[in-house]
Amino acid sequence: MTEIGAFFAMGGYAGFVWSAYGIAAAVLGGLSVYSWRRYRDSIVTVERLQQDLGRRR
Amino acid sequence: MINWLANPARFMRLSAKAVPWCSWTAVLVLAVGLFWSLMVAPPDYQQGDTVRIMYVHVPAAWMALSVYLFVAVASAVALVWRHPLAEVAARAAAPIGAAFTFVCLATGSLWGRPMWGTWWVWDARLTSVLILFFLYLGYIALANAFDDPSRGGRAAAVLALVGVVNLPIIKFSVDWWNTLHQPASVMRIGGPRIDISMLAPLLIMALGFTLLFAVLLMVRMRTALNERRAMALRLNAGAIPAPRPGREPVVSANTVVP
Amino acid sequence: MAAFLGLFRRDLSLALRQGGDTGLVIGFFVLAVVLFPFGVGPEPEVLRRIGAGTIWVAALLAALLSLDRLFEADYQDGELDLLALSSLPLELAVLAKCAAHWVATGLPLALTSPFLALLVDLDPGAIATLFASLLIGTPALSLIGSVAAALSLGARRQGVVLSLLVLPLYIPPLIFGAGAVEASAAGNGARAYLLILGAVTLAALALCPWASAAALRQALE
């Protein structure tokens, strides 16, 4: 077995080790992406509202 | 110190600088931690490569508990001193803590399957973490259950304190319950002694998770403050139907907080 | 003291006069326990083994069922604002309402439990312990529940939020209550369990009125 193959095989426990890291990455990454998107949206909303208010004056 | 940080405008200014720095540090530390735990750290002589799950599982468990304590302390500050940012911080932190708790449970299950031969054992520690997860869910549900967001924040703050008083009681009862219903074939994992080659990646991952928590906390707090600001702006726009020349709208960073 | 008793009597007579409450709770309790044999099969050994646990879990759920009524009506019609303003400390008012709630639900649950225990074939010693454990433990259910009921007052989908809040907090009484019966059925002394269950109830008695009152105050703010 090649070295890289051995790395991905994880001593025969590939399914468990990689899915553990995968779930952790998916959950924490997902939360990060969601939080960031919502943050960007909030900035856009505030800017738009401020412009509206500025136009009205 | 508390009063100095109480100003949302100051928080916005400081966190605007801190978020990029913390993000890149978190990415760097997590990359090093992942490399170390997946490539450098040796496989355990008993558990083989499954021991690598520990490097996500154990730091996630630490985070699960410490984030709950953070939520409780922030809630206490919010209730006692009416500190406007503390409530925002507590609400922003809870979903992050729930995510870490879920990661802890899921990876623990994936570790238990090859080691114990079962996805789940009603072990005292696992059971306590599961209950902690439900406490998080209750907190999040309560915080979002009200039309008036500040009412939700205050109710959730009381709940966080009730939960933190209950946590030791629940832990004690689960331990008691477990000693009576001890499953026969549970292999004790870890031990007081852990080799430095395993401790190093563990601590690096823990640091990475802490930094990630800090970044997410700041981003979510900034989001919450922005959303409050948007709400204040909307109310303001509604309150001034006709344009009135020569009058500044009373919107400043301080009106963000009710 | 007179105010305390007055509130207690008023709440109790309201609960009994509306009648439905106690009857519904008991009906749910009985039905929930009766469902279990259909799920696990009618073998007496199996039922005896899980009987104590099922009765305790059913009691928890039945107690949960009536919690949203604890403050809701008074909150809607403004009675709660008057209570908060009255000379009776809100903590004592909560205690009076919890006591009334316990007499209207917890006590009937404990009184019904021996008959349900016969259905799952518990032996007489275990039945006595079950009765004692419910008698000691149900006040804790009312008290802990009052905190969750006060917190979720006025929430959207209050029932769901309420159960999500309260069920994790009910785990300690459940462990020691069901544990007591199990220990007594196994021939070990149930004394230690009952004592700890009593400690849980006393701790709830000391702490929960404060938490509920704090929650009510912020709900009324």
Side-chain angles (χ1 to χ4, degrees), chain A residues 24-55:
Chain A
V27 171
L28 296 176
L31 183 69
S32 305
V33 169
Y34 171 74
S35 302
W36 188 254
R37 282 226 180 119
R38 219 171 132 182
Y39 176 50
R40 302 258 45 124
D41 286 354
S42 75
I43 292 177
V44 170
T45 316
V46 166
E47 273 170 4
R48 192 170 43 77
L49 284 168
Q50 246 160 0
Q51 273 172 3
D52 282 1
L53 213 67
R55 252 203 308 279

Side-chain angles (χ1 to χ4, degrees), chain B residues 137-227:
Chain B
L137 291 188
Y139 178 95
I140 296 169
L142 187 65
N144 296 316
F146 296 93
D147 295 322
D148 170 13
S150 64
R151 164 95 167 82
R154 288 197 306 270
V158 175
L159 177 69
L161 293 185
V162 171
V164 92
V165 171
N166 259 286
L167 220 48
I169 301 175
I170 294 176
K171 182 82 181 78
F172 164 77
S173 11
V174 169
D175 281 343
W176 174 291
W177 166 78
N178 191 249
T179 47
L180 244 113
H181 302 260
Q182 188 65 46
S185 64
V186 172
M187 203 179 75
R188 286 274 124 230
I189 43 162
R193 288 181 71 248
I194 178 167
D195 192 76
I196 186 75
S197 62
M198 291 182 172
L199 190 62
L202 200 60
L203 292 179
I204 294 174
M205 286 301 280
L207 179 67
F209 277 7
T210 312
L211 284 165
L212 180 65
F213 168 69
V215 172
L216 286 176
L217 178 68
M218 282 189 286
V219 167
R220 295 179 68 90
M221 283 173 73
R222 290 177 67 84
T223 312
L225 291 176
N226 274 339
E227 278 167 1

Side-chain angles (χ1 to χ4, degrees), chain C:
Chain C
M1 196 61 208
F4 180 88
L5 283 177
L7 184 59
F8 171 75
R9 233 175 267 134
R10 167 186 166 277
D11 261 45
L12 189 60
S13 59
L14 271 180
L16 294 180
R17 202 171 311 152
Q18 280 167 354
D21 273 20
T22 303
L24 261 178
V25 166
I26 297 302
F28 178 86
F29 183 45
V30 174
L31 254 173
V33 173
V34 166
L35 279 181
F36 270 92
F38 295 107
V40 299
E43 295 86 2
E45 308 84 62
V46 177
L47 290 179
R48 212 175 298 136
R49 174 72 193 74
I50 64 162
T54 54
I55 291 177
W56 254 93
V57 170
L60 287 193
L61 296 176
L64 173 71
L65 207 61
S66 60
L67 277 177
D68 56 341
R69 312 256 314 133
L70 193 51
F71 300 116
E72 185 62 28
D74 286 348
Y75 178 65
Q76 298 290 0
D77 66 12
E79 184 82 34
L80 216 50
D81 294 276
L82 293 179
L83 269 182
L85 291 174
S86 76
S87 58
L88 184 69
L90 197 53
E91 284 80 7
L92 284 180
V94 168
L95 205 56
K97 287 178 100 51
C98 285
H101 179 260
W102 179 71
V103 174
T105 58
L107 190 60
L109 285 178
L111 291 174
T112 325
S113 65
F115 302 102
L116 290 175
L118 294 176
L119 289 182
V120 294
D121 200 26
L122 288 182
D123 62 61
I127 293 179
T129 316
L130 176 71
F131 180 65
S133 72
L134 276 168
L135 214 53
I136 298 173
T138 41
L141 301 186
S142 294
L143 287 160
I144 298 171
S146 78
V147 181
L151 281 172
S152 60
L153 214 48
R156 278 178 261 126
R157 275 170 311 186
Q158 193 199 2
V160 184
V161 174
L162 183 59
S163 43
L164 202 53
L165 297 188
V166 85
L167 287 180
L169 303 180
Y170 273 177
I171 288 172
L174 172 64
I175 287 176
F176 296 113
V181 186
E182 216 175 290
S184 125
N188 309 323
R191 202 179 126 83
Y193 284 94
L194 292 177
L195 285 176
I196 297 180
L197 189 62
V200 170
T201 299
L202 288 177
L205 189 64
L207 296 174
C208 289
W210 295 95
S212 298
L216 285 180
R217 278 196 197 98
Q218 57 88 20
L220 295 173
E221 221 169 72

Side-chain angles (χ1 to χ4, degrees), chain B residues 118-151:
Chain B
T118 165
W119 295 104
W120 181 265
V121 284
W122 288 96
D123 163 78
R125 243 189 284 183
L126 270 72
T127 313
S128 306
V129 174
L130 183 65
I131 296 168
L132 181 65
F133 186 58
F134 290 136
L135 288 178
Y136 270 121
L137 291 188
Y139 178 95
I140 296 169
L142 187 65
N144 296 316
F146 296 93
D147 295 322
D148 170 13
S150 64
R151 164 95 167 82

